[in-house]
Amino acid sequence: MTKITDHIKAANGKPIFSIEVIPPIKGDNLKSLLDNIEPLMEFKPPFIDVTYHREEYIERPMPDGTIHKIVTRKRPGTVGICSAIMHRFGVDPVPHVLCGGFSRDETEDFLIDLHYLGIDNALVLRGDPAKPFNTFKAKENGYAYASDLVEQVANMNQGIYLHEEETSLAPSNFCIGVAAYPEKHFEAENHDVDFDFLKLKVDKGADYIVTQMFFDNRKYFDFVDRCRQHGITIPIIPGLKPISTRRQLQILPKLFHLEMPADLVQAVEACENDQQVRQVGVEWCIQQCRELTAAQTPVLHFYTMGKADNIMKVAREIF
Ligand code: FAD
């Protein structure tokens, strides 16, 4: 399969359309996810990201009145979905690979599975705290930061596996993506510290960056400028999402620690119904895309969050 960085080179300055999808809730059918993606193939995404969802801890009341604590996984299936995307659409999948919930050995097994499947791209992340906890805790013999996981993947790319002393092991060939936050990661004390740790991920082997969603392009442009000043030269892919409900004005800033531009808030609040909100969201996103395209942004990467129709409307205007 082709590396993301090679897709970018091959596009020769033309912006690439790409999306991120989320596995269905456990027990749901994969068909609706694939049917949702299908119409977007019109815009020829060379790659599709598939998120990974770690375990959650829930309390379940039992008939005898006691409470059982159970560990569950609400959205399993990342690797299977990657394989389905490859086979159904012939598109490169990009599985998200997390520190959270994994020991180093489990990570190695996971990466070997991906390598055997012919998957050569991975977005390497720390992951959020396991629900319902507020702070991230590394698994025993796992990693606390994405930079350490980047190092493990980069080592495998050189044929360096855990616990093996042999030096002639078959190397993997992963193109390594990492996450970044134009509006700062919520745990970082300040932007400078956050940049230093982003630089560490790059120094340890990241090949490209994907940003958290943002609604004010100025934040992305400033972020790219500051990355370049910090010596980060790899591609920086902007993450985009058209607003589709009024509620998202509150939910998205809370979930993703971002600010909504006052003009967007005002336009959404002036809407009389959901359809108008969706229209405002699509138009705002189209404007963002036009500006990003004019600035020669390599890829426009859309967070589908289970919905594709508004992204279709944006893509029709841009690609
Ligand atoms: P890191 O790069 O490890 O950074 C986490 C925090 O630690 C930052 O504040 C950073 O400044 C700080 N830090 C980093 N290194 C060090 C160090 N050595 N010492 C001290 N502090 C340090 N989550 C999921 O669970 N599944 C997904 O599929 C998923 N996909 C995502 C896709 C994108 C594009 C983005 C932007 C996020 C995604 N997330 C996903 C969310 C992500 O896991 C969280 O934002 C998480 O809190 C941070 O992940 P990271 O890889 O950026 O962490």
Side-chain angles (χ1 to χ4, degrees):
M1 302 303 271
T2 308
K3 294 182 171 201
I4 304 307
T5 44
D6 289 334
H7 281 303
I8 292 174
K9 276 183 213 141
N12 228 347
K14 243 182 106 194
I16 289 173
F17 169 77
S18 76
I19 55 170
E20 177 193 277
V21 299
I22 299 177
I25 296 271
K26 183 161 72 177
D28 277 359
N29 205 309
L30 185 58
K31 186 176 178 306
S32 62
L33 172 75
L34 297 178
D35 288 352
N36 213 19
I37 297 176
E38 181 108 58
L40 295 171
M41 289 302 121
E42 180 188 334
F43 308 106
K44 300 191 171 40
F47 65 92
I48 295 178
D49 274 57
V50 185
T51 57
Y52 192 95
H53 299 261
R54 62 175 300 177
E55 80 284 8
E56 295 182 16
Y57 297 82
I58 55 173
E59 291 186 339
R60 184 159 288 169
M62 303 309 284
D64 65 1
T66 57
I67 304 279
H68 266 204
K69 280 201 170 144
I70 58 167
V71 181
T72 184
R73 195 176 292 277
K74 284 203 178 144
R75 293 180 185 273
T78 299
V79 178
I81 294 170
C82 286
S83 177
I85 286 172
M86 279 163 89
H87 290 105
R88 167 116 170 230
F89 304 117
V91 166
D92 286 329
V94 185
H96 293 189
V97 181
L98 304 187
C99 303
F102 281 81
S103 68
R104 295 156 203 226
D105 297 82
E106 288 162 343
T107 296
E108 187 174 86
D109 290 349
F110 187 79
L111 292 169
I112 288 172
D113 277 341
L114 298 180
H115 181 50
Y116 286 169
L117 278 168
I119 294 174
D120 287 334
N121 294 291
L123 190 73
V124 170
L125 301 144
R126 186 194 72 178
D128 280 325
K131 285 185 189 143
F133 303 109
N134 292 326
T135 47
F136 180 88
K137 206 164 161 271
K139 191 167 179 178
E140 196 182 335
N141 197 30
Y143 300 117
Y145 299 109
S147 52
D148 296 324
L149 182 49
V150 169
E151 189 172 347
Q152 182 173 0
V153 185
N155 277 342
M156 263 183 72
N157 280 349
Q158 294 191 37
I160 303 168
Y161 288 71
L162 300 174
H163 322 301
E164 304 296 334
E165 269 140 42
E166 273 226 39
T167 50
S168 58
L169 299 172
S172 55
N173 190 29
F174 289 107
C175 179
I176 305 171
V178 291
Y181 307 83
E183 301 182 51
K184 189 178 83 59
H185 185 261
F186 69 103
E187 291 167 25
E189 260 172 56
N190 55 54
H191 274 288
D192 283 337
V193 172
D194 217 19
F195 273 107
D196 288 343
F197 292 130
L198 177 60
K199 180 75 167 51
L200 185 64
K201 294 195 272 195
V202 177
D203 291 345
K204 287 195 173 186
D207 296 298
Y208 70 98
I209 292 167
V210 185
T211 76
Q212 184 56 275
M213 66 179 74
F214 56 87
F215 295 87
D216 175 356
N217 282 353
R218 197 68 263 149
K219 303 238 158 106
Y220 170 80
F221 291 132
D222 288 349
F223 174 75
V224 173
D225 285 348
R226 289 184 74 175
C227 281
R228 301 311 180 216
Q229 284 158 20
H230 277 71
I232 297 171
T233 57
I234 58 178
I236 303 175
I237 297 176
L240 296 159
K241 179 187 156 39
I243 288 272
S244 54
T245 65
R246 193 184 292 259
R247 240 180 110 225
Q248 286 174 349
L249 289 182
Q250 275 80 46
I251 293 174
L252 297 178
K254 219 165 137 189
L255 275 181
F256 300 118
H257 307 274
L258 48 86
E259 263 179 53
M260 287 288 174
D263 289 356
L264 176 59
V265 173
Q266 219 173 21
V268 170
E269 281 175 350
C271 291
E272 284 168 10
N273 54 47
D274 292 351
Q275 208 188 336
Q276 282 181 10
V277 172
R278 291 173 77 75
Q279 191 51 32
V280 165
V282 164
E283 280 164 17
W284 186 274
C285 193
I286 290 171
Q287 284 312 319
Q288 281 193 274
C289 292
R290 289 203 172 120
E291 208 182 358
L292 289 163
T293 308
Q296 276 154 15
T297 307
V299 180
L300 301 177
H301 184 66
F302 295 90
Y303 296 113
T304 62
M305 295 173 85
K307 300 259 179 324
D309 54 335
N310 50 356
I311 291 168
M312 284 282 294
K313 288 185 187 155
V314 174
R316 281 220 177 95
E317 295 295 319
I318 303 295
F319 295 95

